[in-house]
Amino acid sequence: MERNNRKTRVGVVTSDKMEKTIVVAVKTKVRHPLYGKTMNRTMKYKVHDENNEAKFNDTVMIMETRPLSKDKRWRLVEIIEKAK
């Protein structure tokens, strides 16, 4: 059985105060449609972290999944870099 292609994102953990949930901020650069200036866009995702292993300021990779709660639609794949 094969999984469908799922979206993945890389971001930084901004909150780890909940049980089994972290908040990840994903930054992207977008050109303004009229003026052409490059802007920073930040999206925040609530991510399922089963073992509470990600901590504040860690860089993580997340993957799209089925709805796990009212806000959670992403899960933690791996911790790319631990915070210093």
Side-chain angles (χ1 to χ4, degrees):
M1 192 165 146
E2 187 178 318
R3 267 197 179 151
N4 296 334
N5 288 341
R6 297 181 180 210
K7 296 176 191 169
T8 59
R9 303 277 187 265
V10 175
V12 177
V13 178
T14 57
S15 171
D16 62 346
K17 297 186 180 199
M18 295 172 273
E19 284 294 318
K20 297 189 178 184
T21 304
I22 56 176
V23 179
V24 176
V26 176
K27 292 185 179 180
T28 54
K29 289 189 179 279
V30 181
R31 286 184 66 81
H32 191 280
L34 179 61
Y35 302 113
K37 182 179 172 70
T38 305
M39 306 180 299
N40 290 321
R41 279 268 160 86
T42 304
M43 283 291 296
K44 285 187 175 181
Y45 299 104
K46 286 193 179 160
V47 179
H48 184 68
D49 178 11
E50 182 65 38
N51 301 323
N52 285 325
E53 50 197 19
K55 300 298 176 203
F56 181 73
N57 264 354
D58 288 352
T59 303
V60 295
M61 178 180 280
I62 60 176
M63 179 185 284
E64 196 176 37
T65 187
R66 65 184 175 82
L68 298 169
S69 72
K70 180 185 167 195
D71 298 325
K72 278 200 285 188
R73 273 103 177 103
W74 296 81
R75 65 182 168 86
L76 181 67
V77 176
E78 66 173 316
I79 299 172
I80 296 171
E81 184 182 347
K82 284 287 202 183
K84 294 177 176 72

